[in-house]
Amino acid sequence: MTEADIAAAVEEFASAARNAVAAGLDGIELHAANGYLLEQFLNANVNTRTDGYGGSAAARNRFTLEVARACVAAIGKARVGIRVSPHGVFNATGTFAGDDEQYVAYHDLEWGVPLRDERALFELLCLEGFQAGLSWITILRKR
């Protein structure tokens, strides 16, 4: 995907969110698990990009957070959540080195618990996700 393709996809997510609410749904849950597009950006096994959307945890988070912010802007923060699956193995995603640590969110804004590791992908996703306006984050745990 080019950066223009990514910008178009962000708008398509926002449009789909608006359509869902217009059709009578209460809200949406962004699906960033099971090999779907958002997880392909988040997962270090399949995201081999070398631009601003790959490499570091923050760069891998970028597309998902842009989608989340666009959906929140489109339908309101009370209507948007996200689902991630740290140990899903569909579509070549699967686990990667340090994934257990990356999927644990220790940061609590209300209680002031510090971020355990600023590089941790899903700690960043939780922190930045709530700052982006997400209402909930569903994390499927390892069996």
Side-chain angles (χ1 to χ4, degrees):
M1 292 178 75
T2 66
E3 290 197 17
D5 294 332
I6 290 170
V10 169
E11 178 49 38
E12 289 169 353
F13 273 96
S15 178
R18 284 189 292 274
N19 291 341
V21 171
L25 297 177
D26 293 330
I28 63 153
E29 183 173 70
L30 297 169
H31 201 325
N34 303 103
Y36 288 101
L37 183 61
L38 296 177
E39 185 184 19
Q40 290 177 30
F41 275 81
L42 295 172
N43 190 288
N45 287 340
V46 294
N47 182 344
T48 58
R49 299 179 71 99
T50 57
D51 61 5
Y53 291 93
S56 71
R60 291 193 314 266
N61 280 342
R62 183 177 168 193
F63 176 60
T64 300
L65 292 170
E66 287 175 358
V67 167
R69 288 184 186 107
C71 290
V72 165
I75 63 173
K77 66 182 184 179
R79 296 176 179 253
V80 181
I82 192 167
R83 175 186 194 94
V84 295
S85 180
H87 299 284
V89 294
F90 185 77
N91 215 14
T93 54
T95 60
F96 48 92
D99 66 346
D100 283 333
E101 294 79 16
Q102 290 182 351
Y103 279 89
V104 179
Y106 285 99
H107 191 86
D108 183 318
L109 297 175
E110 182 177 349
W111 295 100
V113 177
L115 193 64
R116 183 171 47 97
D117 181 349
E118 291 181 351
R119 296 165 297 162
L121 175 62
F122 287 93
E123 289 182 11
L124 286 169
L125 181 61
C126 289
L127 172 63
E128 293 177 23
F130 287 119
Q131 287 177 346
L134 294 176
S135 287
W136 70 91
I137 296 177
T138 303
I139 301 177
L140 302 180
R141 64 184 175 93
K142 188 175 184 178
R143 290 182 183 228

